[in-house]
């Protein structure tokens, strides 16, 4: 943000002037002489006051002249004096140009309304611009998430805050049935070649497990003979005797 002095190179609002040797003798009669010191940057040496001073006339002659002049506008001895710079156009018509105030011997230029507004606007714009720059430094964007704010204090809070376990939402019946159907379809298309029956054991080929699970033909015949014998023995025995019921 540019300062006011950039737009107004001759701006004197940021400086002050003082001559400590004059401070003890400042009063209503000497304050204009104090202001007209050659080292004072606020004093215009082409003014009518300088002409009156060189011709050794009184300040009353300023009313009869035309041009820039300085007058004592207000005085509150010994601490405060206000001097006005004005453009005199006639004995009864003047245009104020600037005001200067002297506090404890130090001379300052009073800011005009335009300078005050300009300074306040530039200060406000600088503050708003700084706020936007700081806000943009915390802005983050990701195509999948969009925009969000990322603050440094938030990272510290997340580190100190105990992490809560997220509860998993239970799956619906449709989801379970759909997953089971997909798994069954994949199992039929791509049957497993190796099976691990117990954890820690080496995987065994599926073909070998099928051969071991099929019984030998001799064992099947032996089982059939045993079943036939059992049925015959059961048929040879008579029916069980009936016991008399006691009345």
């Amino acid at each position: 943000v540019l300062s006011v002095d950039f737009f107004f190179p001759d701006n004197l609002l940021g400086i002050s002037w003082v001559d400590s040797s004059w401070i003890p003798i400042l009063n209503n009669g000497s304050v204009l002489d104090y202001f007209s010191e050659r080292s004072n940057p606020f004093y215009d040496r082409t003014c009518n006051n300088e002409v009156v001073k060189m011709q050794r006339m009184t300040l009353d002659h300023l009313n009869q002249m035309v041009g820039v002049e300085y007058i004592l506008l207000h005085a509150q001895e010994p601490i405060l004096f206000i001097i006005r710079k004005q453009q005199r156009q006639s004995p009864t018509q003047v245009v104020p140009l600037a005001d200067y105030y002297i506090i404890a011997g130090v001379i300052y230029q009073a800011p005009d309304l335009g300078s005050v507004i300009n300074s306040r606007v530039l200060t406000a714009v600088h503050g708003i611009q700084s706020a936007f720059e700081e806000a943009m430094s915390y802005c983050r964007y990701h195509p999948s998430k969009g925009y969000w704010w990322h603050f440094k204090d938030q990272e510290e809070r997340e580190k100190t805050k105990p992490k809560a376990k997220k509860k998993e939402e239970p799956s619906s019946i449709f989801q379970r049935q759909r997953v089971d159907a997909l798994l069954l379809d994949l199992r039929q298309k791509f049957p497993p070649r190796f099976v691990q029956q117990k954890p820690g054991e080496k995987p065994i080929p599926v073909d070998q497990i099928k051969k071991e699970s099929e019984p030998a033909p001799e064992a099947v015949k032996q089982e059939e003979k045993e079943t036939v014998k059992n049925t015959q023995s059961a048929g040879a025995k008579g029916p069980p005797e009936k016991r008399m019921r006691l009345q």
Side-chain angles (χ1 to χ4, degrees), residues 71-90:
I71 64 169
L72 179 60
L73 185 65
H74 177 76
Q76 185 178 347
E77 294 183 0
I79 191 69
L80 176 63
F81 302 93
I82 298 177
I83 295 175
R84 171 167 289 179
K85 179 182 180 181
Q86 58 187 15
Q87 177 76 32
R88 181 170 291 278
Q89 298 176 353
S90 67

Side-chain angles (χ1 to χ4, degrees), residues 2-239:
L2 300 177
S3 62
V4 179
D5 295 335
F6 179 83
F7 299 101
F8 305 99
D10 298 332
N11 191 282
L12 302 176
L13 296 175
I15 65 173
S16 61
W17 181 83
V18 62
D19 188 352
S20 58
S21 61
W22 280 81
I23 295 177
I25 59 174
L26 276 180
N27 52 41
N28 293 353
S30 62
V31 66
L32 284 176
D33 295 332
Y34 173 59
F35 190 84
S36 63
E37 283 287 327
R38 292 187 175 276
S39 58
N40 181 14
F42 304 108
Y43 183 66
D44 185 4
R45 293 175 181 80
T46 62
C47 63
N48 293 338
N49 297 65
E50 194 71 15
V51 176
V52 170
K53 185 177 180 181
M54 292 177 61
Q55 295 181 2
R56 296 182 180 181
M57 295 186 295
T58 61
L59 296 176
D60 296 336
H61 290 80
L62 292 175
N63 297 334
Q64 308 300 325
M65 303 176 68
V66 177
V68 178
E69 63 182 22
Y70 294 91
I71 64 169
L72 179 60
L73 185 65
H74 177 76
Q76 185 178 347
E77 294 183 0
I79 191 69
L80 176 63
F81 302 93
I82 298 177
I83 295 175
R84 171 167 289 179
K85 179 182 180 181
Q86 58 187 15
Q87 177 76 32
R88 181 170 291 278
Q89 298 176 353
S90 67
T92 58
Q93 187 177 4
V94 293
V95 178
L97 300 178
D99 288 336
Y100 306 92
Y101 56 95
I102 304 173
I103 300 178
V106 183
I107 302 176
Y108 306 90
Q109 181 176 349
D112 57 293
L113 183 60
S115 299
V116 172
I117 294 175
N118 192 16
S119 177
R120 295 293 184 271
V121 169
L122 290 176
T123 303
V125 170
H126 175 69
I128 294 172
Q129 184 177 359
S130 301
F132 271 112
E133 291 177 355
E134 185 173 358
M136 289 301 297
S137 65
Y138 297 119
C139 181
R140 299 290 184 272
Y141 174 77
H142 193 272
S144 61
K145 296 181 180 179
Y147 289 96
W148 76 93
W149 299 105
H150 182 76
F151 299 99
K152 296 180 181 178
D153 299 339
Q154 187 176 0
E155 293 181 357
E156 297 177 357
R157 291 175 186 173
E158 291 178 355
K159 290 180 181 178
T160 56
K161 187 187 297 183
K163 295 183 178 179
K165 294 182 178 179
K166 295 182 179 179
K167 295 182 179 180
E168 295 183 358
E169 297 182 358
S171 60
S172 62
I173 298 175
F174 173 77
Q175 291 174 341
R176 291 195 293 270
Q177 292 177 350
R178 184 62 179 166
V179 170
D180 294 341
L182 291 173
L183 292 176
L184 183 61
D185 188 18
L186 290 173
R187 183 180 178 84
Q188 292 175 354
K189 290 182 178 179
F190 308 101
R193 297 181 180 179
F194 296 90
V195 177
Q196 186 178 8
Q197 295 180 347
K198 295 182 180 180
E201 295 183 354
K202 293 182 178 180
I204 302 172
V206 177
D207 299 336
Q208 185 177 351
I209 295 174
K210 289 182 178 179
K211 291 179 181 179
E212 292 178 356
S213 60
E214 292 179 356
E218 296 178 356
V220 173
K221 291 180 180 180
Q222 187 68 25
E223 289 179 357
E224 291 178 353
K225 290 178 181 181
E226 291 179 357
T227 53
V228 171
K229 288 180 180 180
N230 291 332
T231 53
Q232 291 176 355
S233 60
K237 293 180 180 180

